[in-house]
Amino acid sequence: MAGVCFPWGAEACRLLFPIRRELPVSFALPKSSSMIVNDNLSALLEILPRDLRHRLLNDPRRNQLVEVIMDLGRPPEARYLGERGGQYLRNIEVSIEELEDAQELVGEFGADNRAGIEGTLHRISAIRNRKGFIVGLTCRVGRAVSGHIDMLYDLLHYGKSILFVGRPGVGKTTVLREMARVLSDEFQKRVVIIDTSNEIGGDGDIPHSAIGGARRMQVPKPSLQHKVMIEAVENHMPQVIIVDEIGTEAEALACRSIAERGVMLIGTAHGEQLQNIIKNPTLSDLIGGIETVTLGDEEARARRSRKSILERKAPPTFYFLIEIRERDYWIAHQTEKSVDMLLRGRNPMVEVRKRDEEFKLVIERWKSYDGQGI
């Protein structure tokens, strides 16, 4: 492994080599890259009307089912992985009685209008009218998927913080769940999950077995996520903190505070690509923050640039940033190098990680990144 380096230029290779030498001699990818899926779909279907439950249980595409939509006065709709739009499950519209029955089976919704089914990873989200009554439900299938970890198994040996970005439903939370299990069980790290909506560890006081030996801290309200992050570090001595959906300035600052204490951070943020984080004033601190700098005449001429330029103002909180374009197509950045290159109007060199037709991992290095595709 001492002769392998990542695609971020000669300086990056010099930087990463010392870390490479610290890897154990027995370092290897997981022996099996096969996907193992446990979705406990029947538990989610129990809250649906009987006719919908029967249809979906006998649906040959049930393994691709992403979510079921039930909106008052409209036919219920199913959405499947890899398909645009949805498919109506019947012509009869959803009634208020069906929504009330589902709500009774689900139980109480949180302040974020989310609820779960105890012992599972499923999530039910409510839409309310102005009076607070539920008029719509999104019943999303939660799956414990094992086998994604080989997409970034080698990066875990660095012990560096990793940020995932990607559109909703692309599988970011699923990856966090498996990383929690691998870091706690295989790497023997003290892992604490900040589980704001119980989406990573599932509903109930006992977390789902998919997270392995990782500990889980629940959050009373979404607005308190940043406080629970700091509490986890101060009270429980974690080596790794895992947090989903970093979306506020307070959470971004909490991430920086945790990283500065030497704790490895694994998180996800709102955005599809690195550029979305750079342009987001709330979250840009995650990648070091952006500031306007005025250059002197001589330096501007030497750089062949304008006198006012954008520069990164601090080290990034997350050493690696991974864009999950598709479930089996990832783009890996070394955050500092990529941000600096993009701010200078250049295309950084990145690493493309994908699976071939036989489901084997393929890593393509030294790929030029233009922000849209490779």
Side-chain angles (χ1 to χ4, degrees):
M1 298 302 296
V4 179
C5 77
F6 282 76
W8 299 300
E11 291 184 19
C13 290
R14 287 196 294 271
L15 175 63
L16 296 180
F17 268 162
I19 303 176
R20 250 329 162 185
R21 295 192 190 102
E22 295 174 4
L23 296 182
V25 176
S26 60
F27 166 74
L29 293 177
K31 294 181 180 179
S32 174
S33 60
S34 59
M35 302 294 286
I36 301 174
V37 181
N38 177 18
D39 58 14
N40 198 7
L41 184 59
S42 59
L44 178 66
L45 299 184
E46 283 296 322
I47 72 170
L48 302 180
R50 182 176 300 177
D51 58 333
L52 302 186
R53 182 165 65 247
H54 178 75
R55 173 164 181 172
L56 290 171
L57 278 174
N58 295 282
D59 188 346
R61 297 180 298 164
R62 62 182 178 273
N63 290 336
Q64 283 75 47
L65 182 65
V66 174
E67 59 190 11
V68 177
I69 307 298
M70 294 176 60
D71 286 336
L72 181 64
R74 294 181 177 180
E77 182 181 355
R79 296 175 181 172
Y80 296 89
L81 182 67
E83 296 185 13
R84 293 185 177 181
Q87 177 181 329
Y88 289 127
L89 297 173
R90 70 183 188 198
N91 295 324
I92 302 174
E93 298 171 345
V94 175
S95 67
I96 189 66
E97 290 79 16
E98 289 175 324
L99 290 175
E100 289 175 349
D101 290 343
Q103 182 181 1
E104 184 176 350
L105 290 171
V106 171
E108 186 177 355
F109 285 80
D112 56 356
N113 280 315
R114 292 181 177 182
I117 300 174
E118 188 164 353
T120 75
L121 301 172
H122 306 310
R123 186 183 77 192
I124 297 90
S125 302
I127 297 177
R128 299 181 184 270
N129 62 14
R130 296 178 63 183
K131 296 181 180 179
F133 296 108
I134 292 178
V135 294
L137 291 174
T138 301
C139 306
R140 188 168 182 178
V141 180
R143 293 183 171 92
V145 182
S146 300
H148 272 306
I149 197 66
D150 61 329
M151 296 281 282
L152 77 163
Y153 193 81
D154 54 332
L155 298 185
L156 297 184
H157 286 78
Y158 288 95
K160 300 289 187 180
S161 297
I162 304 174
L163 179 68
F164 295 91
V165 296
R167 68 180 187 278
V170 79
K172 299 187 297 297
T173 304
T174 301
V175 174
L176 293 187
R177 199 176 292 126
E178 188 173 12
M179 290 183 72
R181 177 183 61 80
V182 171
L183 286 168
S184 62
D185 293 356
E186 295 185 24
F187 285 71
Q188 297 295 304
K189 299 284 188 181
R190 297 189 300 273
V191 180
V192 174
I193 299 170
I194 311 302
D195 207 359
T196 302
S197 300
N198 286 355
E199 193 172 357
I200 301 176
D203 206 49
D205 293 334
I206 301 175
H208 196 279
S209 59
I211 67 171
R215 304 179 74 187
R216 187 264 296 270
M217 293 183 66
Q218 300 184 50
V219 182
K221 297 179 181 179
S223 59
L224 299 178
Q225 176 167 280
H226 65 287
K227 292 185 177 180
V228 178
M229 292 167 64
I230 298 299
E231 178 187 336
V233 176
E234 293 177 343
N235 292 354
H236 304 292
M237 295 180 61
Q239 294 171 300
V240 182
I241 291 275
I242 295 179
V243 58
D244 200 8
E245 296 184 357
I246 303 167
T248 67
E249 185 176 0
E251 290 162 7
L253 292 175
C255 286
R256 177 165 293 280
S257 175
I258 291 170
E260 289 173 349
R261 303 182 196 202
V263 177
M264 180 181 178
L265 268 169
I266 308 292
T268 69
H270 301 291
E272 293 188 50
Q273 302 175 11
L274 173 57
Q275 289 92 325
N276 300 135
I277 306 299
I278 292 176
K279 296 176 182 178
N280 188 330
T282 302
L283 299 180
S284 62
D285 189 65
L286 298 175
I287 49 89
I290 309 300
E291 64 181 356
T292 302
V293 176
T294 302
L295 303 177
D297 294 336
E298 292 184 6
E299 187 168 356
R301 282 195 296 269
R303 292 193 183 193
R304 296 181 180 179
S305 66
R306 299 177 180 176
K307 295 188 66 174
S308 293
I309 63 170
L310 296 177
E311 286 193 348
R312 177 175 49 83
K313 63 181 179 181
T317 301
F318 291 89
Y319 190 86
F320 295 113
L321 184 143
I322 296 178
E323 300 177 8
I324 303 183
R325 297 290 184 89
E326 301 293 342
R327 290 179 184 267
D328 297 320
Y329 189 94
W330 298 7
I331 297 174
H333 297 264
Q334 187 192 12
T335 310
E336 182 175 324
K337 300 291 183 181
S338 289
V339 170
D340 290 350
M341 292 290 283
L342 288 171
L343 291 178
R344 294 170 187 169
R346 301 176 184 175
N347 293 343
M349 305 305 290
V350 297
E351 189 172 79
V352 176
R353 295 167 174 243
K354 59 184 179 180
R355 298 188 190 276
D356 60 16
E357 295 178 355
E358 298 180 354
F359 207 69
K360 293 181 179 179
L361 177 62
V362 177
I363 299 178
E364 297 179 357
R365 297 182 169 91
W366 301 100
K367 304 293 288 185
S368 179
Y369 173 88
D370 61 9
Q372 301 301 321
I374 300 294

